[in-house]
Amino acid sequence: MVSPAQAIRSFLDAFAVAAHRIPTGLDAQAALYRTLLTGRRVLVVLDNARDSEHVRPLLPASAGCLVLVTSRYQLHGLVAGEAAHSVTLDLLSQADALDFLFRRLGTDRVAREARAAAEIVAQCGRLPLALAVVSARAAVNPAFSLASIAAELRASRGSLDAFAGEVPLADVRSVFSWSYDALTPDAARLFRLLGPHRGPDSSIAAVASLAGRKPAKSGRC
């Protein structure tokens, strides 16, 4: 994960700031970074933020700039202290997931195997990364039918082997592991206990019983 200091240095390099003009220390570099953005209209994208403090040094002071932050966490500090607008993303809808395949594989190919495409969407759980990995495999192997790819996913049910990529950012197991590693020990234990449950949801009372904890504590894991 890139630190705020590394990110700001990358921004200063992108603005072609000479090395001898870059001050030492995060606060001074952040001040220079904000000065450079004054009067500009810039979209700053901060992906996979760890917490609010991870993001705060990178926020511009200029009203003409917009910051888009993605995170696995609810960044309450940014909402409370910086008036950030929070948007919680859900799974793709069935229609959006199919549109994803249309854009990656072409309308004709997906339409010819509509049933297989629908099964691929279901096997991917409508997760964008899983769909991206599978559609990439289909794109580089145009001779593969979507039905054969759907069958491969069906055969690996319960495993993430079919969603492996050549780099960590394109590997579903690696990306899931980042979220898991960030959990507290209690939350990680609860996640493991819930693993065999096949339903889409569960009541707090059932989760508490499974974990051997009081309902109020289970809800805060």
Side-chain angles (χ1 to χ4, degrees), residues 121-165:
V121 167
Q123 295 287 353
C124 290
R126 292 182 280 131
L127 291 168
L129 178 58
L131 286 166
V133 170
V134 173
S135 60
R137 185 177 308 153
V140 299
N141 296 285
F144 287 7
S145 68
L146 297 187
S148 67
I149 294 175
E152 180 185 355
L153 296 177
R154 195 185 318 123
S156 66
R157 187 68 175 173
S159 168
L160 294 177
D161 292 343
F163 302 106

Side-chain angles (χ1 to χ4, degrees), residues 4-221:
Q6 291 172 314
I8 285 180
R9 184 56 188 261
S10 296
F11 287 143
L12 295 178
D13 289 341
F15 281 107
V17 179
H20 69 273
R21 288 189 53 215
I22 298 177
T24 59
L26 177 59
D27 290 343
Q29 290 181 5
L32 175 58
Y33 158 72
R34 293 188 176 103
T35 298
L36 290 171
L37 293 182
T38 300
R40 297 175 184 258
R41 294 175 62 84
V42 178
L43 171 63
V44 180
V45 180
L46 306 175
D47 184 42
N48 197 25
R50 181 183 62 244
D51 51 35
S52 296
E53 294 309 311
H54 193 206
V55 169
R56 192 164 278 116
L58 306 171
L59 298 179
S62 176
C65 296
L66 178 68
V67 182
L68 177 63
V69 182
T70 68
S71 180
R72 291 172 170 79
Y73 311 97
Q74 294 179 331
L75 304 180
H76 297 106
L78 291 185
V79 176
E82 310 295 339
H85 178 62
S86 178
V87 178
T88 301
L89 298 181
D90 203 343
L91 297 173
L92 293 176
S93 68
Q94 181 73 12
D96 286 342
L98 286 172
D99 185 62
F100 187 105
L101 294 183
F102 285 141
R103 292 173 181 272
R104 294 295 180 95
L105 303 177
T107 302
D108 292 343
R109 186 178 182 186
V110 176
R112 281 197 304 270
E113 297 189 75
R115 181 174 296 180
E119 182 178 357
I120 288 173
V121 167
Q123 295 287 353
C124 290
R126 292 182 280 131
L127 291 168
L129 178 58
L131 286 166
V133 170
V134 173
S135 60
R137 185 177 308 153
V140 299
N141 296 285
F144 287 7
S145 68
L146 297 187
S148 67
I149 294 175
E152 180 185 355
L153 296 177
R154 195 185 318 123
S156 66
R157 187 68 175 173
S159 168
L160 294 177
D161 292 343
F163 302 106
E166 62 179 325
V167 295
L169 286 175
D171 185 278
V172 174
R173 179 178 280 107
S174 294
V175 174
F176 281 178
S177 73
W178 299 339
S179 295
Y180 177 80
D181 291 342
L183 295 175
T184 64
D186 284 344
R189 174 177 176 269
L190 187 55
F191 180 83
R192 295 192 300 271
L193 290 172
L194 287 169
H197 179 54
R198 293 185 176 274
D201 50 42
S202 182
S203 68
I204 292 293
V207 171
S209 177
L210 179 66
R213 297 167 62 91
K214 293 182 179 179
K217 290 185 178 181
S218 297
R220 290 195 297 268
C221 278

